[in-house]
């Protein structure tokens, strides 16, 4: 798919782990990951965004002001199973780097796939937050992940 | 006491003399002896860095992690508007129009520059290529990487963007860029080691005002640096964290 594809929109209620609920517009349209770029963001230990680079701003469709200070889960697409994020938080909670393929939700309801890596930021032995770097995934990895996440979602 | 300075081996050969001018200029500013030692190879340089031979290093970002987190170095400045970007290029006559056209078995010409190699391999991931299904041909310089593309010895080559852009028009006209990274936050920096820590304020002061006088300005020009920008410890740690995310 490309960003020229158009599909119908649907409203989905997304419930986050902290009890927050929002209704998001979902469009079945993929925005291709830009060649050569890295999407970079940083959060505090609770996942609140403290830094977003221009590639993140461009791909998410939000302005920098809309991103800073909100939880990173604003990008969570309803097609992503909760267990995938549990794995992420369990891994980084142990102070270990996490890699995974993620379908992200844009502000306009479209989506983009990334290969994400999240690393804890340790300063003087203390956890100060996390850095997340996203890069372009291969089509085969996207297809594998799509199939896996559908199965996991069905089990939730 | 004489301190030792070294420079990441990926600097452009045209600017070798610039680093000697810089060393002379810095010795005068600090009123202390500094010996400059240059290397052709990252591995040889890294061995001597680990042996704690150096006090002042203009370092490749990949080495910054070892220098800061293992050897106690501190980044003090970075060249303004100079970030390290990687180009993947092919022979202009090849059929490859995008990275995704490269297939398993592709012959990749690269150098021992760790940043460029890491970023190059990351940009191949979108074609499902990695070190297990490509033939990596490590070359001694970017010129040899270019020769590999021109003579058909490799399907694609990794270049430091700055080095690619500085090649002759003739060589560049025989190559085509498939992709160029646009990361902007990964860059070289000047790091000071523990033995020289007391000089950090003086080094920073000298570097950050270097462009304000004729002598300093001409030294900067010879190094192809417009001016220096300060680097604090958090900026350095951020860059190291970012690079760590790229290394499996």
């Amino acid at each position: 798919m490309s960003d020229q594809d158009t599909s119908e929109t649907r409203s989905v209620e997304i419930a986050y782990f902290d009890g927050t609920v929002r209704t998001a517009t979902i469009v079945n349209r993929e925005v291709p990951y830009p060649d050569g770029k890295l999407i970079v963001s940083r959060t505090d230990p609770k996942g609140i965004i403290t830094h977003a680079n221009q590639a993140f701003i461009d791909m998410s469709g939000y302005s920098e002001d809309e991103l800073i200070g909100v939880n990173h889960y604003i990008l969570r697409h309803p097609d992503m199973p909760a267990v995938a994020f549990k794995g992420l938080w369990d891994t980084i909670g142990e102070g270990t780097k996490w890699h995974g393929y993620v379908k992200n939700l844009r502000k306009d309801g479209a989506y983009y796939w990334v290969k994400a890596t999240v690393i804890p930021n340790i300063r003087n032995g203390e956890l100060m937050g996390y850095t997340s770097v996203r890069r372009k995934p291969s089509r085969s990895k996207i297809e594998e992940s799509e199939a896996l996440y559908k199965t996991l979602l069905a089990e939730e | 006491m004489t301190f030792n300075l070294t420079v990441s081996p990926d600097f452009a050969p045209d600017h070798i003399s610039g680093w000697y001018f810089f060393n002379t200029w810095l010795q005068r500013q600090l009123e202390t002896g500094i010996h400059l030692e240059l290397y052709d190879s990252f591995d040889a340089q890294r061995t001597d860095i680990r042996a704690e031979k150096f006090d002042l290093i203009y370092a490749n970002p990949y080495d910054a992690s070892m220098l800061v987190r293992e050897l106690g170095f501190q980044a003090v400045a970075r060249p303004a508007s100079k970030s390290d970007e990687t180009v993947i290029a092919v022979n202009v006559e090849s059929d490859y129009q995008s990275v995704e056209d490269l297939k398993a078995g592709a012959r990749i010409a690269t150098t021992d520059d760790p940043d460029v190699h890491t970023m190059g391999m990351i940009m191949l991931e979108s074609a499902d290529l990695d070190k297990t299904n490509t033939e990596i041909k490590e070359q001694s310089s970017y010129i040899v990487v270019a020769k590999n593309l021109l003579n058909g010895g490799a399907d694609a080559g990794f270049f430091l963007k700055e080095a690619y852009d500085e090649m002759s028009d003739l060589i560049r006209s025989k190559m085509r860029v498939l992709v160029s990274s646009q990361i902007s936050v990964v860059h070289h920096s000047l790091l000071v080691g523990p033995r020289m820590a007391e000089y950090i304020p003086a080094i920073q002061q000298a570097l950050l005002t270097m462009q304000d006088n004729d002598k300093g300005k001409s030294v900067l020009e010879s190094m192809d640096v417009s001016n220096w920008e300060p680097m604090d410890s958090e900026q350095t740690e951020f860059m190291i964290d970012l690079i760590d995310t790229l290394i499996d």
Side-chain angles (χ1 to χ4, degrees), chain A residues 30-46:
Chain A
E30 179 173 0
V31 176
Y33 192 101
D35 281 333
K37 292 200 178 180
L38 293 180
I39 295 175
V40 181
S41 58
R42 301 174 86 186
T43 71
D44 71 8
K46 291 183 173 172

Side-chain angles (χ1 to χ4, degrees), chain B:
Chain B
M1 180 175 183
T2 297
F3 296 102
N4 290 310
L5 162 68
T6 190
V7 176
S8 177
D10 55 2
F11 63 88
D14 291 352
H15 306 305
I16 288 178
S17 55
W19 283 102
Y20 281 99
F21 296 148
F22 174 75
N23 189 43
T24 304
W25 174 87
L26 192 60
Q27 289 182 82
R28 287 194 184 131
Q29 301 298 310
L30 302 180
E31 297 177 348
T32 188
I34 302 173
H35 165 72
L36 170 64
E37 190 156 340
L38 300 179
Y39 289 79
D40 292 332
S41 133
F42 277 92
D43 281 345
Q45 185 188 52
R46 207 169 290 134
T47 301
D48 282 351
I49 289 173
R50 282 203 176 278
E52 301 186 11
K53 185 171 171 184
F54 293 104
D55 307 291
L56 199 57
I57 302 179
Y58 183 66
N60 184 292
Y62 192 94
D63 287 332
S65 179
M66 166 185 68
L67 290 163
V68 171
R69 293 188 177 167
E70 296 175 39
L71 301 176
F73 276 71
Q74 191 176 325
V76 295
R78 57 166 293 192
S81 315
K82 249 185 194 287
S83 57
D84 292 351
E85 304 292 355
T86 297
V87 161
I88 300 181
V90 294
N91 187 308
V92 71
E93 289 173 1
S94 82
D95 293 334
Y96 307 116
Q97 300 298 327
S98 72
V99 168
E100 285 77 9
D101 290 336
L102 293 164
K103 301 291 175 221
R107 297 161 303 155
I108 309 296
T110 184
T111 62
D112 68 345
D113 185 325
D115 289 309
V116 171
H117 185 72
T118 302
M119 269 314 299
M121 292 309 287
I122 281 169
M123 291 195 289
L124 289 184
E125 285 178 353
S126 61
D128 281 323
L129 296 179
D130 58 34
K131 63 184 176 191
T132 67
N133 61 5
T134 51
E135 185 189 334
I136 305 296
K137 302 177 76 176
E138 189 177 302
Q139 308 297 346
S140 56
S141 70
Y142 293 115
I143 288 290
V144 184
V145 171
K147 276 186 188 159
N148 267 241
L149 296 182
L150 270 44
N151 67 19
D155 298 305
F158 297 165
F159 298 86
L160 180 69
K161 185 173 186 303
E162 197 178 355
Y164 185 86
D165 291 343
E166 286 186 3
M167 283 189 196
S168 72
D169 291 347
L170 178 67
I171 292 177
R172 271 188 295 128
S173 71
K174 295 180 187 229
M175 297 190 288
R176 179 156 38 82
V177 173
L178 288 187
V179 63
S180 179
S181 72
Q182 298 169 67
I183 305 167
S184 62
V185 287
V186 176
H187 49 77
H188 284 54
S189 40
L190 190 75
L191 296 111
V192 179
R195 284 191 301 261
M196 213 174 173
E198 65 181 285
Y199 286 90
I200 287 175
I203 293 171
Q204 240 178 352
Q205 168 74 15
L207 293 179
L208 300 181
T209 56
M210 197 172 169
Q211 76 280 7
D212 297 339
N213 61 75
D214 290 344
K215 182 67 193 163
K217 209 170 175 179
S218 76
V219 173
L220 282 169
E221 277 167 14
S222 66
M223 299 159 73
D224 194 30
V225 171
S226 59
N227 59 291
W228 294 94
E229 286 178 353
M231 264 198 83
D232 63 28
S233 64
E234 185 48 37
Q235 286 171 305
T236 313
E237 294 284 353
F238 173 48
M239 190 175 78
I240 294 171
D241 280 339
L242 197 151
I243 289 166
D244 277 354
T245 68
L246 305 179
I247 303 167
D248 288 325

Side-chain angles (χ1 to χ4, degrees), chain A residues 82-98:
Chain A
V83 69
F85 294 106
K86 185 181 181 306
L88 185 164
W89 281 100
D90 287 350
T91 305
I92 58 179
E94 291 163 2
T96 314
K97 184 162 44 175
W98 178 87

